[in-house]
Amino acid sequence: MPQQFGTFTASELYCPKCGRSQPVRERLLLVLPSGELYEFLCSRCATSLGKRTVTGPAVAATARQPKPRPARTRRLLR
Ligand SMILES: [Zn+2]
């Protein structure tokens, strides 16, 4: 079973009530200043299977910024 890392989006989770993996539904629980809190519900019996926080675009943009290059690599030629 392949595991995916990076963007965590669960499409199926193990449901203890159903006794097997079930497709999940996302439900918006809370809107926070830092992002949105979603809850995963079993699509069959609506048991809560987990939560996920989705951070806003501002946070994602910060993480995407390239690192500034150190100026030390420049050589002075005389
Ligand atoms: Zn279930």
Side-chain angles (χ1 to χ4, degrees), residues 13 38-41 47-52:
L13 286 173
Y38 286 90
E39 186 179 33
F40 290 120
L41 299 175
T47 298
S48 175
L49 300 179
K51 290 185 178 71
R52 175 166 85 117

Side-chain angles (χ1 to χ4, degrees), residues 8-16 18 20-28 38-52:
F8 173 67
T9 309
S11 54
E12 268 193 19
L13 286 173
Y14 177 78
C15 177
C18 296
R20 51 167 289 185
S21 288
Q22 292 288 0
V24 291
R25 287 180 184 177
E26 269 183 274
R27 191 181 69 171
L28 182 62
Y38 286 90
E39 186 179 33
F40 290 120
L41 299 175
C42 173
S43 64
R44 195 173 167 198
C45 67
T47 298
S48 175
L49 300 179
K51 290 185 178 71
R52 175 166 85 117

Side-chain angles (χ1 to χ4, degrees), residues 68-76:
R69 286 209 161 194
R72 289 190 179 201
T73 53
R74 214 173 82 198
R75 268 185 154 185
L76 291 174

